């Protein structure tokens, strides 16, 4: 596990490589992913925040951690999770260049 985000009012987000997820330090909120295209594409499949922690921006923090990880590791992202595709990317279009596009297949 490696710490990804934390401090200065931000929740601690941990990369759980074995579990293929990014999660809060208490493991209650998480973003699950699958690696595709020989490990070059990260498919973000599910984000979960328990009812007691909703409204705190945790889903966004988890998603930013995943996109930062993808950028740092030269990965593309498939936003399969409806929160990421329908809410996060709409509000944060600056992350769109990281999103996998079929034309990227030639470079895989």
């Amino acid at each position: 596990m490696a710490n990804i985000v934390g401090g200065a009012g931000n929740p601690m987000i941990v990369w759980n490589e074995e579990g293929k997820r990014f999660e809060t330090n208490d493991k209650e909120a998480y973003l699950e992913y699958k690696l595709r295209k020989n490990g070059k594409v990260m498919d973000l499949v599910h984000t979960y925040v328990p009812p007691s922690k909703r409204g705190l921006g945790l889903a966004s923090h988890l998603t930013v951690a995943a996109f930062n990880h993808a950028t740092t590791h030269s990965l593309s992202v498939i936003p399969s999770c409806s929160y990421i595709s329908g809410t996060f990317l709409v509000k944060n279009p600056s992350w769109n260049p990281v999103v996998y596009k079929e034309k990227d297949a030639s470079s895989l």
Side-chain angles (χ1 to χ4, degrees):
M1 287 191 186
N3 292 334
I4 302 291
V5 177
N10 291 328
M12 182 64 70
I13 305 295
V14 177
W15 174 38
N16 179 342
E17 184 176 8
E18 186 176 306
K20 291 192 172 47
R21 49 192 243 169
F22 293 87
E23 55 196 26
T24 52
N25 220 20
D26 61 10
K27 300 181 185 345
E28 290 186 15
Y30 56 86
L31 183 156
E32 296 176 326
Y33 67 91
K34 294 180 180 179
L35 292 175
R36 306 210 185 274
K37 304 285 184 183
N38 296 321
K40 295 183 179 185
V41 177
M42 191 165 51
D43 187 352
L44 307 180
V45 296
H46 181 66
T47 304
Y48 175 76
V49 177
S52 63
K53 296 191 175 193
R54 292 186 184 154
L56 303 175
L58 289 177
S60 178
H61 285 292
L62 290 161
T63 305
V64 167
F67 271 81
N68 279 331
H69 176 85
T71 300
T72 304
H73 292 85
S74 300
L75 304 173
S76 294
V77 169
I78 298 173
S80 294
C81 169
S82 61
Y83 163 76
I84 296 169
S85 61
T87 301
F88 180 82
L89 286 171
V90 171
K91 292 181 179 180
N92 301 279
S94 63
W95 288 109
N96 282 329
V98 183
V99 174
Y100 174 78
K101 294 163 191 64
E102 284 299 320
K103 66 180 178 74
D104 294 341
S106 62
S107 65
L108 296 175

